[in-house]
């Protein structure tokens, strides 16, 4: 196992499954914020909302399709699901088809996500177990390496500050791994997972990976970001959860959780979006 990694593991749950893994060699490729203007941006996924739960209802039989003894109805595959959503933005329809990703069929796309998850558990060399033998969860770094190994992206970079995160969203979607608190599972009518001001006092459910698809609102006062009024929107992988499968959180929540978050942006530069 590599000895220079910073690893924070969580108890995995079928609707979660992300572990935080920070690699100093990868973090050296973070993209510092250069002071450029930050504007609201939006990146639309080309696939339906995925669902890592309710697999049986989607016709996904894990015993038949993946050799398990019994069918399971949910997997800790959030990293694969978030990466599949991100790929659907980066790749054209033709490129996605060539990569084996059917952007028109939610079940086929979920199978694709499960495949990414399986490869990510193998790429996570810091843990011995792998899926499908064990549903162990994976990391954002692991799934980014899988995308690179498959030739689907050119590179990936990281953000470690609020400004860097907002700057990355000017150029494309990002993968965000975060600690997931119980209050986040019950967003308000607008999809804000941090609507409860006491969310940090709710139980920690585990680690989760989502695809941030929009910098929905940017508030700047005297040249400084106002984190309370700057809004991120993300695509989740729990079906029709929250706002038609999407949630929102304030940049102030990102700052509160920054030590527990990793931001990774897989990129395919030069592709017309």
């Amino acid at each position: 196992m590599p000895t220079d990694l910073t690893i924070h593991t969580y108890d995995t749950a079928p609707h979660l499954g992300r572990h935080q893994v920070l690699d100093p060699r990868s973090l050296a490729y973070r993209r510092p914020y250069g002071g450029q203007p930050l504007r609201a941006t939006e990146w639309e996924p080309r696939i339906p909302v995925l669902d890592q739960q309710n697999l049986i209802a989607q016709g996904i039989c894990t015993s038949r399709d993946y050799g398990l003894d019994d069918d399971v109805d949910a997997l800790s595959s959030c990293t694969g699901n978030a990466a599949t959503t991100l790929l659907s933005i980066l790749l054209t329809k033709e490129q996605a088809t060539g990569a084996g990703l059917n952007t028109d069929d939610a079940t086929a796309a979920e199978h694709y996500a499960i495949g990414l998850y399986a490869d990510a558990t193998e790429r996570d060399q810091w843990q011995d177990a792998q899926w499908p033998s064990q549903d162990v969860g994976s990391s954002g770094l692991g799934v980014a390496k899988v995308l690179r190994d498959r030739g689907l992206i050119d590179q990936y970079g990281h953000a470690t500050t609020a400004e860097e995160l907002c700057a990355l969203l000017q150029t494309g979607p990002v993968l965000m791994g975060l600690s997931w608190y119980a209050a986040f599972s019950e967003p308000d009518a607008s999809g804000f997972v941090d609507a409860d001001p006491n969310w940090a006092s709710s139980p920690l459910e585990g680690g989760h990976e989502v695809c941030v698809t929009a910098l929905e609102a940017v508030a700047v006062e005297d040249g400084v970001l106002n984190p309370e009024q700057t809004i991120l929107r993300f695509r989740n992988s729990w079906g029709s959860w929250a706002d038609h499968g999407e949630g929102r959180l304030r940049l102030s929540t990102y700052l509160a959780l920054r030590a527990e978050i990793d931001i990774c942006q897989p990129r395919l530069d030069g592709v017309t979006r």
Side-chain angles (χ1 to χ4, degrees), residues 28-110:
Y29 290 93
R30 60 182 259 272
R31 298 183 174 90
Y33 174 58
Q36 64 268 38
L38 300 174
R39 300 181 176 88
T41 56
E42 181 175 0
W43 307 92
E44 183 64 31
R46 294 188 175 95
I47 56 174
V49 175
L50 299 178
D51 191 353
Q52 68 192 81
Q53 308 174 93
N54 306 305
L55 297 178
I56 295 173
Q58 298 175 67
I60 298 175
C61 300
T62 52
S63 60
R64 178 195 66 202
D65 300 332
Y66 301 102
L68 300 184
D69 292 336
D70 300 298
D71 286 328
V72 298
D73 203 27
L75 285 172
S76 306
S77 57
C78 57
T79 56
N81 280 271
T84 300
T85 296
L86 181 139
L87 270 184
S88 78
I89 299 170
L90 292 189
L91 303 181
T92 65
K93 184 178 179 66
E94 292 73 20
Q95 289 171 326
T97 299
L101 173 58
N102 185 339
T103 57
D104 297 322
D105 187 292
T107 298
E110 183 59 38

Coordinates of all heavy atoms in Angstrom, one line a residue, residues 28-110:
A28 N -0.5 18.2 -6.0 CA 0.5 19.1 -6.6 C 0.0 19.7 -7.9 O 0.5 20.7 -8.3 CB 1.9 18.4 -6.8
Y29 N -1.0 19.0 -8.5 CA -1.5 19.5 -9.8 C -2.8 20.3 -9.6 O -3.6 20.4 -10.5 CB -1.8 18.3 -10.7 CG -0.5 17.7 -11.2 CD1 0.1 16.6 -10.6 CD2 0.2 18.2 -12.3 CE1 1.3 16.1 -11.0 CE2 1.3 17.7 -12.8 CZ 1.9 16.6 -12.1 OH 3.1 16.1 -12.6
R30 N -3.0 20.8 -8.4 CA -4.2 21.6 -8.1 C -4.1 22.9 -9.0 O -2.9 23.3 -9.3 CB -4.4 22.0 -6.7 CG -3.2 22.8 -6.1 CD -3.5 23.0 -4.6 NE -3.9 24.4 -4.4 CZ -3.1 25.4 -4.2 NH1 -1.8 25.2 -4.2 NH2 -3.6 26.6 -4.0
R31 N -5.2 23.5 -9.3 CA -5.2 24.6 -10.2 C -5.4 25.9 -9.3 O -6.6 26.2 -9.0 CB -6.2 24.5 -11.3 CG -6.0 23.3 -12.2 CD -7.0 23.2 -13.3 NE -6.6 22.1 -14.2 CZ -7.0 20.8 -14.1 NH1 -7.7 20.5 -13.1 NH2 -6.6 19.9 -15.0
P32 N -4.4 26.6 -9.0 CA -4.6 27.8 -8.1 C -5.5 28.8 -8.8 O -5.5 29.0 -10.0 CB -3.1 28.3 -8.0 CG -2.3 27.2 -8.3 CD -3.0 26.4 -9.3
Y33 N -6.2 29.5 -8.0 CA -7.1 30.6 -8.5 C -6.3 31.8 -8.8 O -5.5 32.3 -8.0 CB -8.1 30.9 -7.4 CG -9.0 32.1 -7.7 CD1 -9.8 32.1 -8.9 CD2 -9.0 33.2 -6.9 CE1 -10.6 33.2 -9.2 CE2 -9.9 34.3 -7.2 CZ -10.6 34.3 -8.4 OH -11.4 35.4 -8.7
G34 N -6.5 32.3 -10.1 CA -5.7 33.4 -10.6 C -6.3 34.7 -10.6 O -5.8 35.7 -11.2
G35 N -7.5 34.8 -9.9 CA -8.1 36.1 -9.8 C -9.1 36.4 -10.9 O -9.7 37.5 -11.0
Q36 N -9.4 35.4 -11.8 CA -10.3 35.6 -12.9 C -11.7 35.8 -12.4 O -12.1 35.3 -11.3 CB -10.2 34.4 -13.9 CG -10.7 33.1 -13.3 CD -9.5 32.3 -12.7 OE1 -8.6 32.8 -12.1 NE2 -9.6 31.0 -13.0
P37 N -12.6 36.5 -13.1 CA -14.0 36.7 -12.7 C -14.7 35.3 -12.5 O -14.4 34.4 -13.3 CB -14.6 37.5 -13.8 CG -13.4 38.1 -14.5 CD -12.3 37.2 -14.4
L38 N -15.5 35.2 -11.5 CA -16.3 34.0 -11.3 C -17.7 34.3 -11.6 O -18.3 35.2 -11.0 CB -16.1 33.6 -9.8 CG -14.7 33.3 -9.4 CD1 -14.6 33.0 -7.9 CD2 -14.1 32.1 -10.1
R39 N -18.3 33.5 -12.5 CA -19.6 33.7 -12.9 C -20.5 32.4 -12.7 O -19.9 31.3 -12.6 CB -19.7 34.1 -14.4 CG -18.9 35.4 -14.7 CD -19.0 35.7 -16.2 NE -18.4 37.0 -16.5 CZ -17.1 37.1 -16.8 NH1 -16.3 36.1 -16.8 NH2 -16.6 38.3 -17.1
A40 N -21.8 32.6 -12.6 CA -22.6 31.4 -12.6 C -22.5 30.6 -13.8 O -22.4 31.1 -14.9 CB -24.1 31.9 -12.4
T41 N -22.3 29.3 -13.6 CA -22.2 28.4 -14.8 C -23.0 27.1 -14.5 O -23.4 26.8 -13.4 CB -20.7 27.9 -14.9 OG1 -20.3 27.3 -13.7 CG2 -19.8 29.1 -15.2
E42 N -23.3 26.4 -15.6 CA -24.2 25.2 -15.5 C -23.7 24.2 -16.6 O -23.5 24.6 -17.7 CB -25.6 25.6 -15.7 CG -26.6 24.4 -15.6 CD -28.0 24.8 -15.7 OE1 -28.3 26.0 -15.8 OE2 -28.9 23.9 -15.6
W43 N -23.6 23.0 -16.2 CA -23.2 21.9 -17.1 C -24.2 20.8 -17.0 O -24.4 20.2 -15.9 CB -21.8 21.4 -16.6 CG -20.8 22.4 -16.6 CD1 -20.5 23.2 -15.5 CD2 -20.0 23.0 -17.6 NE1 -19.5 24.1 -15.8 CE2 -19.2 24.0 -17.1 CE3 -19.9 22.7 -19.0 CZ2 -18.3 24.8 -17.9 CZ3 -19.0 23.4 -19.8 CH2 -18.2 24.4 -19.2
E44 N -24.9 20.5 -18.1 CA -26.1 19.6 -18.1 C -25.7 18.2 -18.4 O -25.1 17.9 -19.5 CB -27.1 20.1 -19.1 CG -28.4 19.3 -19.1 CD -29.1 19.4 -17.8 OE1 -29.1 20.4 -17.1 OE2 -29.8 18.4 -17.5
P45 N -25.9 17.2 -17.5 CA -25.6 15.8 -17.8 C -26.5 15.3 -19.0 O -27.6 15.8 -19.2 CB -26.0 15.1 -16.5 CG -25.9 16.1 -15.5 CD -26.3 17.4 -16.1
R46 N -25.9 14.4 -19.8 CA -26.6 13.9 -20.9 C -27.3 12.5 -20.6 O -27.7 11.8 -21.6 CB -25.7 13.7 -22.1 CG -25.1 15.1 -22.7 CD -24.4 14.8 -24.0 NE -23.9 16.1 -24.6 CZ -22.7 16.6 -24.4 NH1 -21.8 16.0 -23.6 NH2 -22.4 17.8 -25.0
I47 N -27.3 12.2 -19.4 CA -28.0 10.9 -19.0 C -29.1 11.2 -18.0 O -29.1 12.2 -17.3 CB -26.9 9.9 -18.4 CG1 -26.2 10.5 -17.2 CG2 -26.0 9.4 -19.4 CD1 -25.3 9.6 -16.4
P48 N -30.0 10.2 -17.9 CA -31.0 10.4 -16.8 C -30.4 10.3 -15.5 O -29.2 9.9 -15.3 CB -32.0 9.2 -17.1 CG -31.6 8.7 -18.4 CD -30.2 9.0 -18.7
V49 N -31.1 10.7 -14.4 CA -30.6 10.6 -13.1 C -30.4 9.2 -12.7 O -31.3 8.3 -13.0 CB -31.6 11.3 -12.1 CG1 -31.2 11.0 -10.6 CG2 -31.8 12.7 -12.4
L50 N -29.3 8.8 -12.2 CA -28.9 7.5 -11.8 C -29.4 7.1 -10.4 O -29.8 8.0 -9.7 CB -27.4 7.3 -11.9 CG -26.8 7.5 -13.3 CD1 -25.3 7.3 -13.2 CD2 -27.4 6.6 -14.3
D51 N -29.5 5.8 -10.2 CA -30.0 5.4 -8.9 C -29.2 4.2 -8.4 O -29.3 3.1 -9.0 CB -31.5 5.0 -9.0 CG -32.1 4.8 -7.6 OD1 -31.4 4.8 -6.6 OD2 -33.3 4.6 -7.5
Q52 N -28.3 4.4 -7.4 CA -27.5 3.2 -6.9 C -28.3 2.4 -5.9 O -27.8 1.4 -5.4 CB -26.2 3.8 -6.3 CG -26.4 4.6 -5.0 CD -25.2 5.3 -4.6 OE1 -24.9 6.4 -5.1 NE2 -24.5 4.7 -3.6
Q53 N -29.5 2.8 -5.6 CA -30.5 2.1 -4.8 C -31.5 1.5 -5.7 O -31.6 1.9 -6.9 CB -31.1 3.0 -3.8 CG -30.1 3.8 -2.9 CD -30.7 4.8 -2.0 OE1 -30.9 4.5 -0.8 NE2 -30.9 6.0 -2.5
N54 N -32.4 0.7 -5.2 CA -33.5 0.1 -6.0 C -33.0 -0.5 -7.3 O -33.6 -0.3 -8.4 CB -34.5 1.3 -6.3 CG -35.0 2.0 -5.1 OD1 -35.5 1.4 -4.2 ND2 -34.8 3.3 -5.1
L55 N -31.9 -1.3 -7.2 CA -31.3 -1.9 -8.4 C -32.3 -2.9 -9.0 O -32.4 -3.1 -10.2 CB -30.0 -2.5 -8.0 CG -28.9 -1.6 -7.5 CD1 -27.6 -2.4 -7.2 CD2 -28.6 -0.5 -8.6
I56 N -32.9 -3.7 -8.1 CA -33.8 -4.8 -8.6 C -34.9 -4.2 -9.4 O -35.3 -4.8 -10.5 CB -34.3 -5.6 -7.4 CG1 -33.1 -6.4 -6.7 CG2 -35.3 -6.6 -7.9 CD1 -33.5 -7.1 -5.5
A57 N -35.5 -3.1 -9.0 CA -36.6 -2.5 -9.7 C -36.1 -2.0 -11.1 O -37.0 -1.9 -12.0 CB -37.2 -1.4 -8.9
Q58 N -34.9 -1.7 -11.2 CA -34.3 -1.3 -12.5 C -34.0 -2.5 -13.4 O -33.5 -2.3 -14.5 CB -33.0 -0.5 -12.3 CG -33.3 0.8 -11.5 CD -32.0 1.6 -11.2 OE1 -31.3 2.1 -12.1 NE2 -31.6 1.6 -9.9
G59 N -34.2 -3.7 -12.9 CA -33.8 -4.9 -13.7 C -32.4 -5.3 -13.6 O -31.9 -6.1 -14.4
I60 N -31.7 -4.7 -12.6 CA -30.3 -5.1 -12.4 C -30.2 -6.2 -11.3 O -30.5 -6.0 -10.2 CB -29.4 -3.9 -11.9 CG1 -29.5 -2.8 -13.0 CG2 -28.0 -4.3 -11.6 CD1 -28.8 -1.5 -12.6
C61 N -29.8 -7.4 -11.8 CA -29.8 -8.6 -10.9 C -28.3 -8.8 -10.7 O -27.6 -9.4 -11.6 CB -30.4 -9.8 -11.6 SG -32.2 -9.5 -12.0
T62 N -27.8 -8.5 -9.5 CA -26.4 -8.6 -9.3 C -25.9 -10.0 -9.2 O -24.7 -10.3 -9.4 CB -26.0 -7.8 -8.0 OG1 -26.8 -8.3 -6.9 CG2 -26.2 -6.3 -8.1
S63 N -26.8 -11.0 -8.9 CA -26.4 -12.4 -8.9 C -26.1 -12.8 -10.3 O -25.1 -13.5 -10.6 CB -27.4 -13.3 -8.2 OG -28.7 -13.2 -8.9
R64 N -27.0 -12.5 -11.2 CA -26.8 -12.9 -12.6 C -25.7 -12.1 -13.3 O -24.9 -12.6 -14.1 CB -28.1 -12.7 -13.3 CG -28.1 -13.0 -14.8 CD -29.4 -12.4 -15.5 NE -29.4 -11.0 -15.4 CZ -30.5 -10.2 -15.5 NH1 -31.7 -10.8 -15.7 NH2 -30.4 -8.9 -15.5
D65 N -25.7 -10.7 -13.1 CA -24.9 -9.9 -13.8 C -23.4 -9.8 -13.3 O -22.5 -9.5 -14.1 CB -25.5 -8.5 -13.9 CG -26.8 -8.4 -14.5 OD1 -27.1 -9.3 -15.4 OD2 -27.6 -7.5 -14.2
Y66 N -23.3 -10.0 -12.0 CA -21.9 -9.8 -11.4 C -21.5 -11.0 -10.6 O -20.5 -10.9 -9.9 CB -21.9 -8.5 -10.6 CG -22.3 -7.3 -11.4 CD1 -23.6 -6.8 -11.3 CD2 -21.4 -6.7 -12.3 CE1 -23.9 -5.7 -12.1 CE2 -21.7 -5.6 -13.0 CZ -23.0 -5.1 -12.9 OH -23.4 -4.0 -13.7
G67 N -22.2 -12.1 -10.6 CA -21.7 -13.3 -10.0 C -21.9 -13.4 -8.5 O -21.2 -14.1 -7.8
L68 N -22.8 -12.6 -7.9 CA -23.0 -12.6 -6.5 C -23.9 -13.8 -6.1 O -24.7 -14.3 -6.9 CB -23.6 -11.3 -6.0 CG -22.8 -10.0 -6.2 CD1 -23.5 -8.8 -5.6 CD2 -21.3 -10.1 -5.7
D69 N -23.8 -14.2 -4.9 CA -24.7 -15.3 -4.4 C -26.1 -14.9 -4.4 O -27.0 -15.7 -4.7 CB -24.2 -15.8 -3.0 CG -22.9 -16.5 -3.1 OD1 -22.5 -17.0 -4.1 OD2 -22.2 -16.5 -2.0
D70 N -26.4 -13.6 -4.0 CA -27.7 -13.1 -3.9 C -27.8 -11.8 -4.5 O -26.8 -11.0 -4.7 CB -28.1 -13.0 -2.4 CG -28.1 -14.3 -1.7 OD1 -28.8 -15.2 -2.1 OD2 -27.3 -14.5 -0.7
D71 N -29.0 -11.4 -4.9 CA -29.2 -10.1 -5.5 C -29.2 -9.0 -4.3 O -29.8 -9.2 -3.3 CB -30.6 -10.0 -6.2 CG -30.6 -10.7 -7.5 OD1 -29.5 -10.7 -8.2 OD2 -31.6 -11.2 -7.9
V72 N -28.5 -7.9 -4.6 CA -28.5 -6.8 -3.6 C -29.3 -5.7 -4.3 O -29.2 -5.5 -5.5 CB -27.1 -6.4 -3.2 CG1 -26.4 -7.5 -2.5 CG2 -26.3 -5.9 -4.4
D73 N -30.0 -4.9 -3.5 CA -30.8 -3.8 -4.0 C -30.2 -2.5 -4.0 O -30.7 -1.5 -4.6 CB -32.1 -3.8 -3.2 CG -33.3 -3.1 -4.0 OD1 -33.2 -3.2 -5.3 OD2 -34.2 -2.6 -3.4
A74 N -29.0 -2.4 -3.5 CA -28.2 -1.1 -3.4 C -26.8 -1.4 -3.3 O -26.4 -2.4 -2.7 CB -28.7 -0.2 -2.3
L75 N -25.9 -0.5 -3.8 CA -24.5 -0.6 -3.7 C -23.9 0.7 -3.3 O -24.4 1.8 -3.5 CB -23.9 -1.0 -5.1 CG -24.1 -2.4 -5.6 CD1 -23.7 -2.5 -7.1 CD2 -23.4 -3.4 -4.8
S76 N -22.7 0.6 -2.7 CA -21.9 1.7 -2.2 C -21.1 2.3 -3.4 O -19.9 2.5 -3.3 CB -21.0 1.3 -1.0 OG -21.7 0.7 0.0
S77 N -21.8 2.5 -4.5 CA -21.1 2.8 -5.8 C -21.2 4.3 -6.1 O -21.1 4.6 -7.3 CB -21.7 2.0 -6.9 OG -23.1 2.2 -7.0
C78 N -21.2 5.2 -5.2 CA -21.4 6.6 -5.5 C -20.3 7.2 -6.3 O -20.6 8.1 -7.1 CB -21.7 7.4 -4.2 SG -20.3 7.3 -3.0
T79 N -19.1 6.7 -6.1 CA -18.0 7.3 -6.9 C -18.2 7.0 -8.4 O -18.0 7.8 -9.3 CB -16.6 6.8 -6.4 OG1 -16.6 5.3 -6.4 CG2 -16.3 7.3 -5.0
G80 N -18.6 5.7 -8.7 CA -18.8 5.3 -10.1 C -20.0 6.1 -10.7 O -20.0 6.5 -11.8
N81 N -21.0 6.3 -9.9 CA -22.2 7.0 -10.4 C -21.9 8.5 -10.6 O -22.3 9.0 -11.7 CB -23.3 6.9 -9.3 CG -24.1 5.6 -9.4 OD1 -25.0 5.4 -10.2 ND2 -23.6 4.6 -8.7
A82 N -21.1 9.1 -9.7 CA -20.8 10.5 -9.9 C -19.9 10.7 -11.2 O -20.1 11.6 -12.0 CB -20.1 11.1 -8.7
A83 N -19.0 9.7 -11.3 CA -18.0 9.8 -12.5 C -18.8 9.6 -13.8 O -18.5 10.2 -14.8 CB -16.9 8.8 -12.3
T84 N -19.8 8.7 -13.8 CA -20.6 8.5 -15.0 C -21.4 9.7 -15.4 O -21.4 10.1 -16.6 CB -21.5 7.3 -14.8 OG1 -20.8 6.1 -14.5 CG2 -22.4 7.0 -16.0
T85 N -21.9 10.4 -14.4 CA -22.6 11.6 -14.7 C -21.7 12.7 -15.3 O -22.0 13.3 -16.2 CB -23.2 12.2 -13.4 OG1 -24.2 11.3 -12.9 CG2 -23.9 13.6 -13.6
L86 N -20.5 12.8 -14.7 CA -19.5 13.7 -15.2 C -19.1 13.4 -16.6 O -19.0 14.2 -17.5 CB -18.3 13.8 -14.3 CG -17.2 14.7 -14.6 CD1 -16.6 15.4 -13.4 CD2 -16.0 14.0 -15.4
L87 N -18.9 12.1 -16.9 CA -18.5 11.7 -18.2 C -19.5 12.0 -19.3 O -19.2 12.4 -20.4 CB -18.3 10.2 -18.3 CG -16.9 9.6 -18.0 CD1 -16.9 8.1 -18.2 CD2 -15.8 10.3 -18.8
S88 N -20.8 12.0 -18.9 CA -21.9 12.3 -19.8 C -21.9 13.7 -20.2 O -22.4 14.1 -21.2 CB -23.2 11.9 -19.2 OG -23.7 12.9 -18.3
I89 N -21.2 14.6 -19.4 CA -21.0 16.0 -19.8 C -19.8 16.2 -20.6 O -19.8 16.9 -21.7 CB -20.9 16.8 -18.5 CG1 -22.2 16.7 -17.7 CG2 -20.7 18.3 -18.9 CD1 -22.1 17.3 -16.3
L90 N -18.7 15.5 -20.3 CA -17.4 15.7 -21.0 C -17.5 15.1 -22.4 O -16.9 15.7 -23.3 CB -16.3 15.0 -20.2 CG -15.9 15.6 -18.9 CD1 -14.6 14.9 -18.4 CD2 -15.7 17.1 -19.0
L91 N -18.1 13.9 -22.5 CA -18.1 13.2 -23.8 C -19.3 13.6 -24.7 O -20.4 13.8 -24.2 CB -18.2 11.7 -23.6 CG -17.0 11.1 -22.7 CD1 -17.2 9.6 -22.6 CD2 -15.7 11.5 -23.2
T92 N -19.1 13.7 -26.0 CA -20.2 13.8 -26.9 C -21.0 12.5 -26.9 O -20.5 11.5 -26.4 CB -19.8 14.1 -28.3 OG1 -19.0 13.0 -28.8 CG2 -18.9 15.3 -28.4
K93 N -22.2 12.5 -27.4 CA -23.0 11.3 -27.5 C -22.2 10.2 -28.2 O -22.2 9.0 -27.8 CB -24.3 11.5 -28.2 CG -25.3 10.3 -28.2 CD -26.6 10.7 -28.9 CE -27.5 9.5 -28.9 NZ -28.0 9.1 -27.6
E94 N -21.5 10.5 -29.3 CA -20.8 9.5 -30.1 C -19.6 9.0 -29.3 O -19.3 7.8 -29.3 CB -20.3 10.2 -31.4 CG -21.4 10.5 -32.4 CD -22.2 11.8 -31.9 OE1 -21.7 12.6 -31.1 OE2 -23.4 11.9 -32.5
Q95 N -18.9 9.9 -28.6 CA -17.8 9.4 -27.8 C -18.3 8.5 -26.6 O -17.6 7.5 -26.3 CB -17.1 10.6 -27.2 CG -16.3 11.4 -28.2 CD -15.7 12.7 -27.6 OE1 -16.4 13.4 -26.8 NE2 -14.6 13.1 -28.1
A96 N -19.4 8.9 -26.0 CA -19.9 8.1 -24.9 C -20.3 6.7 -25.5 O -20.0 5.7 -24.8 CB -21.1 8.7 -24.3
T97 N -20.9 6.6 -26.6 CA -21.3 5.3 -27.2 C -20.0 4.5 -27.5 O -20.0 3.3 -27.2 CB -22.1 5.5 -28.5 OG1 -23.3 6.3 -28.2 CG2 -22.4 4.2 -29.1
G98 N -19.0 5.1 -28.0 CA -17.8 4.4 -28.2 C -17.1 3.9 -27.0 O -16.4 2.9 -27.0
A99 N -17.4 4.6 -25.9 CA -16.8 4.2 -24.6 C -17.7 3.2 -23.9 O -17.3 2.7 -22.8 CB -16.6 5.4 -23.7
G100 N -18.8 2.8 -24.5 CA -19.7 1.8 -23.9 C -20.8 2.4 -23.0 O -21.5 1.7 -22.3
L101 N -20.9 3.7 -23.0 CA -21.9 4.4 -22.1 C -23.1 4.8 -23.0 O -23.0 5.6 -23.8 CB -21.3 5.7 -21.5 CG -22.3 6.6 -20.7 CD1 -23.0 5.8 -19.6 CD2 -21.5 7.8 -20.1
N102 N -24.3 4.1 -22.7 CA -25.5 4.4 -23.3 C -26.2 5.6 -22.6 O -26.6 5.5 -21.5 CB -26.4 3.2 -23.3 CG -27.7 3.4 -24.1 OD1 -28.1 4.6 -24.3 ND2 -28.3 2.3 -24.5
T103 N -26.2 6.8 -23.2 CA -26.7 8.0 -22.6 C -28.2 8.1 -22.6 O -28.8 8.9 -21.9 CB -26.1 9.2 -23.2 OG1 -26.4 9.2 -24.6 CG2 -24.6 9.3 -23.0
D104 N -28.9 7.2 -23.3 CA -30.3 7.2 -23.4 C -31.0 6.3 -22.4 O -32.3 6.4 -22.3 CB -30.8 6.9 -24.8 CG -30.2 7.9 -25.9 OD1 -30.2 9.1 -25.5 OD2 -29.8 7.4 -27.0
D105 N -30.3 5.4 -21.8 CA -30.9 4.3 -21.0 C -30.4 4.4 -19.6 O -29.2 4.1 -19.4 CB -30.7 3.0 -21.6 CG -31.4 1.8 -21.0 OD1 -31.1 1.5 -19.8 OD2 -32.3 1.3 -21.6
A106 N -31.2 4.7 -18.6 CA -30.8 4.8 -17.2 C -30.2 3.5 -16.7 O -29.2 3.5 -15.9 CB -31.9 5.3 -16.3
T107 N -30.8 2.4 -17.0 CA -30.3 1.1 -16.5 C -29.0 0.8 -17.1 O -28.1 0.3 -16.3 CB -31.4 0.0 -16.8 OG1 -32.6 0.3 -16.1 CG2 -30.8 -1.3 -16.3
A108 N -28.8 1.0 -18.4 CA -27.5 0.7 -19.0 C -26.5 1.7 -18.4 O -25.3 1.2 -18.2 CB -27.6 0.9 -20.5
A109 N -26.8 2.9 -18.2 CA -25.9 3.8 -17.6 C -25.5 3.4 -16.1 O -24.4 3.6 -15.7 CB -26.4 5.3 -17.6
E110 N -26.5 2.9 -15.4 CA -26.2 2.4 -14.0 C -25.2 1.2 -14.1 O -24.3 1.1 -13.3 CB -27.5 2.1 -13.3 CG -27.3 1.6 -11.9 CD -26.6 2.7 -11.0 OE1 -26.9 3.9 -11.2 OE2 -25.8 2.3 -10.2

